[in-house]
Amino acid sequence: MKIKYLGSGGGAGIPELFCSCRICENSRKNGGKEIRNRPLAVINEELCIDLPCDARSSFLQQGFDARKIRYLLITHNHYDHFMSENFFTRPEDWDSLDLFISKGSGAGLVKKCEELQKIKPQGTMRPICYPRVHLVKALEEFQAGNYSIVPIPANHAPELEAMNFIISYNGIHVLWLHDSGLMREETLRYLQNKDVCFSFVSLDCFLAKGEHAQSDHMNITQCACTVEQLKLSRCVNENTLIYLSHIGHLVNQTHEEIVNEARRFRFHVAYDGAEICI
């Protein structure tokens, strides 16, 4: 399995557009790994997790052809994770992809796609593309090609039924925990009963340690607490790769500073363009 982060930032990315804080100024000066677009990742170049408002820039900057995508998982309908207008283009040839999203986040998209299908091209105008939308429920496993996927309830945006994902492929199991605070009790119970050990875990690390406490995001200490919970449930072991992502300027650390602190916990730090083979 190959995982590639095309965007590793938080809600506004780094640098934030009008911000002059130390972190944003550092990113403008040094570029490279200090620049973070909004969260976006692809697995095996065909399964995509989230499609934020700056997805087009992320694909172009990382040299990835979005037309390779066959399956799209959406955590929730916030602009930094999903922008449905990305679909409203007129391609010359379009092999529709399968999009999986909760009802709380995707009901409006279903209606939009139904309306798009009724539009008849006139003159030289080509049909507008639309995905095949599948409304999925928390803790109900589904298939996307060769991937077995379980949406798990995120501790975030309950009105949108925000979800995280367990993604299984050829005996490899991935846990994707972005835009979530500490895991819910129901999620922990589910993982304990599922008896699965993850090869890879991607964690939300949006906040500074001990500051800006929010229940729907995590800092590195809370990420460490989450990993300990997973260890107690035998869901991770010493071979599990743990990556921190969804990193905003509120962390108040440069990439190098985050890497140095993460090393204490045996965590890795994602960056735009990071590629991991499992």
Side-chain angles (χ1 to χ4, degrees), residues 209 220-221 253 258-267:
K209 185 171 62 178
I220 195 168
T221 304
Q253 291 176 305
I258 301 171
V259 168
N260 288 337
E261 182 167 17
R263 195 174 289 122
R264 294 172 43 219
F265 301 95
R266 299 184 66 187
F267 294 164

Side-chain angles (χ1 to χ4, degrees), residues 14-31:
I14 300 178
E16 293 199 2
L17 191 58
F18 300 109
C19 184
S20 300
C21 75
R22 180 178 73 93
I23 304 307
C24 290
E25 290 287 43
N26 173 71
S27 68
R28 293 187 183 99
K29 178 181 178 180
N30 294 307

